[in-house]
Amino acid sequence: MVSKKIKKALEGSSVIRAMFTEGKEMAKKYGAENVYDFSLGNPATPAPEAVKEAIKRILDEKDPMFVHGYMDNSGYEDVRQAVADNLNHRFDTHFDFHNIIMTVGAAGGLNIIFKTILDPGDEVLVFAPYFGEYNSYAANFDAKTVAVHPDPETFQPDLDDFAAKFTEKTKAVIINTPNNPTGVVYSDATLKAIADILKEKQKAYKKEIYLVSDEPYRELVYDGQKENFLTKYYENTIVGYSFSKSLSLPGERIGYVVVPNEVADADTVIAGINVSNRTLGFVNAPSLIQLAVAECLEEKTDVAYYDKNRTRLYEALTGYGYTCIKPEGAFYMWVKSPDEDEDRFVEQAKKYHLILVKGGAFCWPGYVRIAYCVSYDTIERSLPAFEKLAEEYQLSGK
Amino acid sequence: MVSKKIKKALEGSSVIRAMFTEGKEMAKKYGAENVYDFSLGNPATPAPEAVKEAIKRILDEKDPMFVHGYMDNSGYEDVRQAVADNLNHRFDTHFDFHNIIMTVGAAGGLNIIFKTILDPGDEVLVFAPYFGEYNSYAANFDAKTVAVHPDPETFQPDLDDFAAKFTEKTKAVIINTPNNPTGVVYSDATLKAIADILKEKQKAYKKEIYLVSDEPYRELVYDGQKENFLTKYYENTIVGYSFSKSLSLPGERIGYVVVPNEVADADTVIAGINVSNRTLGFVNAPSLIQLAVAECLEEKTDVAYYDKNRTRLYEALTGYGYTCIKPEGAFYMWVKSPDEDEDRFVEQAKKYHLILVKGGAFCWPGYVRIAYCVSYDTIERSLPAFEKLAEEYQLSGK
């Protein structure tokens, strides 16, 4: 009936989406104010007013044939140049429009990158824990992901394990910093070490190995850290970006891919990504929203909003006795399950109307992810529930 | 470097897109008013004013967290219900929101349908000539298209050839009426006969065979014909639709898929398409434009605009001695190449600044496609060029 792959996918479908659906049902049953849904990475701050103003201005001032019409599969040239200029002045890069392909979000971007570089049987290294959808994206092209272990204390990558996981089949490495689900930001030292290992492995295996940087949380960093951009560490780096978090537009499916000139055979890779965008069925990133984001590139993410949640939640949870990795970026907190059975812990949490996602969904059991991209009020009101849950597990609070 | 599949794709990339690019370059060189670009199916009429008004109203009245946020992978329930209601009252169907999945255009829709139903090695029958991208969409899932011949006079499908092309591996049939590139509308008799053959083949091969109806031109029919909707002919019909042509929004990538309850195991197919939408990287159809089209479902395509072009062009070209299939729908005219070498004919046409697409791009050489979705003025001004080209080939005009 349905294809074998889809049959399998239906059996093990997205845990995050399932929790999101369950959260919505609990909200109907108990009232939204009595359910603390930490399941989904849906930004908690509205899109900046500038987005609305830009859309209205574009509709009023520009020809609808241009605004809603076909353009190059890679996007409007002016939009791509605006993105290049923005990156250049922020990160001292040297891109122009031809290095930029506008995409249907980062998920669309990663898929067209993978379609371009992966052959069946290829392996893609991923630093665990990681966004489980990467497995599906690699499987779309009959490639498979290979998990690299984290340092269990810091959740920075275990570099020895990284070096050990390369094989003849390794074609790409996915990196995601600031990280979903841990909130960890990979340090400069870590990134340099990763680049060194990659360079060495390219030589050893006599072929290109791509670093694919998934950067939806690029601007979400705390404690005065600077935003980072990874193309400076390693030549064969391809970036996938999304405006979902930075401009709070997750439903709009808008992002871009960057292929620097330093990538080997960059023009062929760019042409391949352009063709993949068309043949995989995206055709082009949605047109009106392309034009709108190009006018909002200087808009700032409301980092303070999430920082307030982060600080309150981290202090409260560690106070109750939970073991948490202190987030340095993104809007996730990675908490050790006090139950040896994390499924049971997630079920217990539900009794207190806390919707958490188990670490297994990120291919790293024994933890849960808390998406604290909710209102501060929700954080405050959820704390007694976390406290009761801690008491149930006899955690020793401060 | 790049994957083997992409390397191959780059070698034989879209002829239509190449002609579009060439047309733009010629326009720069000779002036847009002196180049008659009939390459691309880009609607020639602007989106209705109602689309602009709807977008502005939605931005003013609704919460940006709702307008730009994540929703179910299948789209907003209210939008899907509005689409179902619209189809029900136009075509006497009985859908509700759960039969509708909002998609990133028809190209996105076809890909998630194919991902859901096709296994590697499966065959998909397609009525030639056809939109060449179908080959890529099937290849994305390691399936292949098998061309069914047309009746060479009417360009309705050759039903004997259709029946003869089924094998054990046939999993789906793509149908596209009104047709790109011929402009032919399949008759009620043809559709009934196709359905009968499908029913017989399902029995013979003891499995489901899906009819996948690609309907971007559904509303574009001439000469008082009624719009048709294909689910009534055959139970296992899945529809892919796009608002690209009907609302002149090709850049926005917005459409939907319909899976009727009559489809075998409909709920599994719907769930599979929903998962495919997520895992292939679409995630969901763009949010704001979903909300906007739901408010514009009663808007009418400006059929008269294209009809005027059709009539003028058909009369002029047949008058000059060209052999044309008279279009009954869509905005394409299918013209017999007066040169035995259609590539040479396309090159000759370019000398007169006429940009045509060769039949080979639609897997049916010996013809060219004229996309007459241009201004009437362009039609008028192009006629002397067509006339001179006819004279060069010594066609005998009326």
Side-chain angles (χ1 to χ4, degrees):
Chain A
M1 167 58 43
V2 295
S3 72
K4 289 186 191 75
K5 277 188 182 176
I6 282 297
K7 206 173 161 197
K8 209 176 139 196
L10 285 175
E11 284 158 10
S13 203
S14 170
V15 176
I16 304 173
R17 283 281 170 173
M19 292 303 287
F20 174 58
T21 304
E22 195 159 347
K24 282 202 295 187
E25 272 158 28
M26 280 176 71
K28 270 186 208 162
K29 199 164 160 189
Y30 303 111
E33 70 286 5
N34 300 315
V35 175
Y36 316 112
D37 185 349
F38 297 102
S39 66
L40 209 61
N42 213 350
T45 56
E49 189 71 12
V51 171
K52 175 175 158 179
E53 296 312 319
I55 294 174
K56 291 169 96 175
R57 193 168 53 242
I58 292 160
L59 289 173
D60 282 335
E61 293 176 3
K62 299 202 168 155
D63 180 356
M65 303 286 282
F66 169 77
V67 172
H68 306 297
Y70 280 130
M71 83 300 302
D72 213 78
N73 295 130
S74 291
Y76 295 104
E77 264 185 36
D78 286 355
V79 170
R80 292 153 65 201
Q81 187 62 49
V83 168
D85 291 343
N86 175 264
L87 292 173
N88 293 344
H89 98 92
R90 286 163 66 194
F91 301 112
D92 195 25
T93 48
H94 301 87
F95 305 128
D96 67 24
F97 75 91
H98 97 281
N99 300 107
I100 311 292
I101 299 104
M102 300 304 294
T103 63
V104 174
L110 291 177
N111 272 285
I112 60 177
I113 293 169
F114 280 4
K115 185 172 173 65
T116 302
I117 63 175
L118 296 179
D119 279 304
D122 280 348
E123 291 174 356
V124 179
L125 302 188
V126 196
F127 300 108
Y130 63 87
F131 184 47
E133 295 287 275
Y134 295 155
N135 295 338
S136 303
Y137 302 165
N140 284 337
F141 310 101
D142 299 307
K144 69 166 189 172
T145 50
V146 176
V148 175
H149 295 186
D151 174 308
E153 293 302 315
T154 63
F155 276 87
Q156 296 271 335
D158 176 334
L159 296 171
D160 291 335
D161 192 57
F162 178 51
K165 289 280 167 69
F166 282 81
T167 75
E168 292 276 346
K169 293 178 181 171
T170 308
K171 188 65 176 283
V173 175
I174 309 178
I175 193 164
N176 170 230
T177 174
N179 186 260
N180 172 16
T182 64
V184 167
V185 174
Y186 294 173
S187 69
D188 196 59
T190 296
L191 293 169
K192 282 178 178 157
I194 287 171
D196 287 343
I197 292 167
L198 272 162
K199 286 171 198 165
E200 183 193 300
K201 296 294 178 182
Q202 282 203 142
K203 269 189 200 155
Y205 291 108
K206 294 188 178 64
K207 66 171 191 177
E208 280 82 26
I209 301 173
Y210 298 96
L211 183 64
V212 177
S213 181
D214 179 23
E215 305 191 358
Y217 305 102
R218 188 200 293 147
E219 288 81 8
L220 269 173
V221 287
Y222 306 113
D223 301 328
Q225 284 196 78
K226 280 178 84 170
E227 297 168 7
N228 206 353
F229 191 71
L230 268 59
T231 59
K232 66 179 174 232
Y233 293 96
Y234 176 67
E235 290 195 340
N236 280 325
T237 301
I238 304 176
V239 174
Y241 181 77
S242 166
F243 292 97
S244 291
K245 321 296 178 180
S246 61
L247 291 179
S248 295
L249 300 172
E252 300 296 354
R253 314 314 304 143
I254 182 74
Y256 58 79
V257 161
V258 187
V259 182
N261 292 338
E262 291 72 21
V263 167
D265 269 346
D267 285 344
T268 307
V269 174
I270 290 168
I273 291 175
N274 186 55
V275 164
S276 297
N277 209 17
R278 199 187 78 230
T279 57
L280 210 51
F282 299 104
V283 183
N284 54 252
S287 51
L288 170 59
I289 207 82
Q290 273 193 55
L291 298 169
V293 296
E295 297 196 11
C296 300
L297 294 168
E298 300 290 333
E299 289 296 315
K300 299 284 176 226
T301 313
D302 191 354
V303 177
Y305 182 100
Y306 299 109
D307 195 11
K308 194 175 165 196
N309 289 358
R310 174 185 77 119
T311 307
R312 182 77 180 104
L313 191 64
Y314 181 74
E315 283 173 6
L317 264 56
T318 51
Y320 304 145
Y322 293 98
T323 303
C324 310
I325 304 298
K326 186 169 188 183
E328 304 169 281
F331 39 47
Y332 304 111
M333 197 170 305
W334 188 239
V335 181
K336 199 164 167 51
S337 168
D339 195 316
E340 57 181 357
D341 179 344
E342 61 166 8
D343 283 321
R344 193 167 51 200
F345 178 62
V346 167
E347 284 307 308
Q348 287 303 108
K350 260 189 234 165
K351 288 189 192 159
Y352 299 96
H353 299 177
L354 293 166
I355 314 286
L356 315 176
V357 180
K358 64 177 182 175
F362 307 95
C363 308
W364 202 257
Y367 285 76
V368 294
R369 185 190 79 170
I370 299 176
Y372 58 82
C373 42
V374 295
S375 71
Y376 185 74
D377 182 55
T378 301
I379 300 279
E380 279 294 347
R381 285 185 299 101
S382 72
L383 295 182
F386 278 113
E387 188 167 21
K388 279 182 211 146
L389 185 62
E391 282 163 8
E392 191 178 319
Y393 280 99
Q394 300 179 301
L395 301 181
S396 54
K398 283 172 197 165
Chain B
M1 167 58 41
V2 295
S3 73
K4 290 187 189 75
K5 276 187 183 177
I6 282 297
K7 206 173 163 198
K8 209 176 140 196
L10 286 174
E11 284 159 8
S13 202
S14 170
V15 175
I16 303 173
R17 284 281 170 172
M19 293 302 288
F20 174 58
T21 304
E22 193 158 348
K24 281 202 297 188
E25 272 159 27
M26 280 175 71
K28 271 186 208 163
K29 198 165 160 188
Y30 302 112
E33 70 285 5
N34 300 315
V35 175
Y36 317 112
D37 185 350
F38 297 103
S39 66
L40 209 60
N42 213 351
T45 56
E49 190 70 12
V51 171
K52 175 174 157 181
E53 295 312 320
I55 294 174
K56 292 170 96 175
R57 193 167 54 241
I58 291 160
L59 289 174
D60 282 334
E61 293 176 3
K62 298 201 169 158
D63 180 357
M65 303 286 282
F66 169 78
V67 171
H68 306 297
Y70 280 130
M71 81 301 302
D72 214 76
N73 294 131
S74 292
Y76 295 104
E77 264 186 36
D78 287 356
V79 170
R80 293 152 66 201
Q81 186 62 48
V83 167
D85 291 343
N86 175 264
L87 292 172
N88 292 344
H89 97 94
R90 286 162 66 194
F91 300 113
D92 196 24
T93 48
H94 301 87
F95 305 128
D96 68 23
F97 74 91
H98 97 280
N99 301 108
I100 311 293
I101 298 105
M102 300 304 295
T103 63
V104 174
L110 291 177
N111 272 285
I112 60 177
I113 293 169
F114 280 4
K115 185 172 173 65
T116 302
I117 63 175
L118 296 180
D119 279 303
D122 280 347
E123 291 174 356
V124 179
L125 302 188
V126 196
F127 300 107
Y130 63 88
F131 184 47
E133 295 287 274
Y134 295 156
N135 295 337
S136 303
Y137 302 164
N140 284 336
F141 310 100
D142 299 308
K144 69 166 189 171
T145 49
V146 175
V148 175
H149 294 185
D151 175 305
E153 294 301 315
T154 63
F155 277 86
Q156 296 270 334
D158 176 334
L159 296 172
D160 291 334
D161 191 57
F162 178 50
K165 289 281 166 69
F166 283 80
T167 75
E168 292 276 347
K169 294 179 180 168
T170 308
K171 188 67 175 281
V173 175
I174 309 177
I175 193 163
N176 171 231
T177 173
N179 187 260
N180 172 16
T182 64
V184 167
V185 174
Y186 294 174
S187 68
D188 196 59
T190 296
L191 293 169
K192 282 178 177 156
I194 287 172
D196 286 343
I197 292 167
L198 273 161
K199 286 171 199 166
E200 184 194 301
K201 296 294 178 184
Q202 283 202 141
K203 270 190 201 157
Y205 292 109
K206 295 188 178 61
K207 65 171 192 176
E208 280 82 28
I209 302 172
Y210 298 96
L211 182 64
V212 177
S213 181
D214 179 24
E215 305 191 356
Y217 305 102
R218 188 202 292 147
E219 287 82 8
L220 270 172
V221 288
Y222 306 112
D223 301 327
Q225 283 195 80
K226 279 178 84 171
E227 297 168 7
N228 206 353
F229 191 71
L230 267 59
T231 59
K232 66 181 175 229
Y233 293 96
Y234 176 66
E235 290 194 340
N236 281 324
T237 301
I238 303 176
V239 174
Y241 181 77
S242 166
F243 292 97
S244 290
K245 321 296 178 183
S246 60
L247 291 179
S248 295
L249 300 172
E252 300 296 353
R253 314 314 303 143
I254 183 73
Y256 58 78
V257 162
V258 186
V259 182
N261 292 338
E262 291 72 20
V263 167
D265 270 345
D267 285 345
T268 307
V269 174
I270 290 168
I273 291 175
N274 186 55
V275 164
S276 299
N277 208 18
R278 198 188 78 229
T279 57
L280 210 51
F282 299 105
V283 184
N284 54 251
S287 50
L288 170 60
I289 207 81
Q290 272 193 54
L291 298 169
V293 296
E295 297 196 12
C296 300
L297 296 168
E298 301 290 333
E299 289 296 315
K300 298 286 175 225
T301 313
D302 191 354
V303 176
Y305 182 101
Y306 300 109
D307 194 12
K308 193 175 167 195
N309 288 358
R310 173 185 77 120
T311 307
R312 182 77 180 104
L313 191 64
Y314 181 75
E315 283 174 6
L317 263 56
T318 51
Y320 304 146
Y322 293 98
T323 303
C324 312
I325 304 298
K326 187 170 186 181
E328 303 168 283
F331 40 47
Y332 304 111
M333 198 170 305
W334 189 238
V335 181
K336 199 165 166 49
S337 168
D339 195 315
E340 56 181 358
D341 179 343
E342 62 166 7
D343 283 321
R344 191 166 55 201
F345 178 60
V346 167
E347 283 307 308
Q348 288 303 108
K350 260 189 234 166
K351 288 190 191 157
Y352 299 97
H353 299 179
L354 293 165
I355 315 285
L356 314 176
V357 180
K358 64 177 182 174
F362 307 95
C363 309
W364 202 256
Y367 285 76
V368 294
R369 184 190 79 170
I370 300 176
Y372 59 81
C373 41
V374 296
S375 71
Y376 185 74
D377 181 55
T378 302
I379 300 277
E380 279 292 347
R381 284 183 301 101
S382 73
L383 295 181
F386 278 113
E387 188 167 21
K388 279 181 210 146
L389 185 62
E391 282 163 8
E392 191 179 321
Y393 280 99
Q394 301 180 302
L395 301 182
S396 54
K398 283 171 194 165

